[in-house]
Every structure is written in structure tokens, then in C-alpha cells.
Amino acid sequence: MQLLTFTMGLALLSVVGARMPLLTSARAEQLLGKWYLKRWAGDMPIPERKWRDPLPPFTFERNNFEELEFRMNLTKPIGCIQFKLVLYEGEDLGTFFTWWRHLIYIHFLPGKNFAIAYFRGKMNYQYYQIMMLMGRTLNPNIESLRIFKEFVRSKMGQTAKTKKPPHAEACELPKDS
């Protein structure tokens, strides 16, 4: 009877392990190009209306110093502005640092057309976390969404909710004179 219970326990562990595929740590070169924010979740104190703001695509590019840079063109009352954030590669694959020394993990889902970016850190003396599912296309992908929801639950518990921001086209930056 104990052997049967032990065998069933091992079988259940293998099934649970099979549900969540291995994520692959991202290298900077693999991230280059255009991405879309598909879903996000977190407990940062962001006003609810901001979670619903339409978001344009973003890119990862190398800047003039050959550093990886996150870029997103945002529409503001003053016009189109480009938000830039340099990401320094950490010692471990899939880890990136901002100039504030915030650690961001980026891991590919199988196929490398979708990835999860995850941050957990201290701001204003409190720990917060935020995570996003990003994809190279706007096309829906049920499997990537399932994996992301499972990832969110593993970090935030069963009651965690994901949000789907509306998509916006990127605004055009003014030409330099």
C-alpha cells in the first residue's frame, strides 16, 4: 500500500511538472526587435485607470554605447516622446539591471516568440512585483497565456488577476532639424 501511494505521488509530481514548461533565460541579442505587451499583473500601486491605458509596441535595441535599451514611443499632451531605459546584463543569463539597480528577469516561453519579464524589488521601503507577458506579434496564443497565468499564480497566489491592456499604435517622433 505504501509503495502504491509513493508511486502515485511520483506520478502526480510528474504531471504537475509537465504543466509548466521550462522557461529559457533570455540573452540581450535574442530580445532585439519589436514586442507587444500582451498581459500584465502585479501589486505595484498603479491607479486602476492606468492599467487600462492603451500601450504601443516597444523595442529592444542597442544604443550608441552597445547597451541594451528598452524603447517605447508614448503619446503625451506635449506630443510624442520616446521613453528609454537601459538594461545592463547581469551575471546570470536572463537577468538585467536598471540604473536604479532594479533586477529584472526575462525568460522565453517555448518557441521564443513570447517571453515573461518579472520584477520583484523594494521601492519606498516596501516590496512590490510586476510581471508582463510580451510577444513578437499581436496574434493570440492560448498556450503562452496559460503559461503566463500559471507563472503569475506561482508568484502571487490563486487570486491573482492578469490584465490585458488595449493596444495602441506607436506615435511618430518629430524629425530632428
Side-chain angles (χ1 to χ4, degrees), residues 10 45-47 74 93 97 108 112 123-124 138 141 169:
L10 286 178
I46 298 172
L74 300 169
L93 279 178
F97 290 92
F108 285 112
K112 298 190 179 175
M123 284 190 256
N124 298 327
L138 280 173
N141 183 288
E169 290 301 319

Side-chain angles (χ1 to χ4, degrees), residues 44 95 112:
M44 293 187 81
T95 61
K112 298 190 179 175

Side-chain angles (χ1 to χ4, degrees), residues 4-108:
L4 178 61
T5 305
F6 178 73
T7 306
M8 286 175 52
L10 286 178
L12 281 174
L13 281 176
S14 67
V15 169
V16 170
R19 286 182 54 203
M20 187 70 161
L22 290 177
L23 302 177
T24 307
S25 300
R27 291 191 325 270
E29 301 79 38
Q30 297 170 306
L31 292 169
L32 298 176
K34 187 176 186 177
W35 291 87
Y36 297 90
L37 183 67
K38 308 285 284 178
R39 292 282 196 289
W40 61 349
D43 59 7
M44 293 187 81
I46 298 172
E48 187 63 32
R49 63 179 166 71
K50 287 290 185 189
W51 288 102
R52 293 188 300 266
D53 279 355
L55 292 172
F58 59 91
T59 60
F60 287 108
E61 299 179 29
R62 291 283 186 188
N63 64 18
N64 293 339
F65 302 106
E66 290 301 310
E67 299 161 326
L68 182 66
E69 199 167 72
F70 170 94
R71 296 180 185 177
M72 182 185 278
N73 291 358
L74 300 169
T75 303
K76 295 290 182 183
I78 60 169
C80 185
I81 62 164
Q82 187 173 65
F83 173 79
K84 296 180 184 181
L85 178 65
V86 173
L87 297 174
Y88 304 99
E89 293 181 72
E91 288 183 23
D92 297 326
L93 279 178
T95 61
F96 300 88
F97 290 92
T98 67
W99 68 274
W100 301 288
R101 303 301 294 162
H102 289 148
L103 179 61
I104 299 170
Y105 301 91
I106 303 177
H107 297 284
F108 285 112

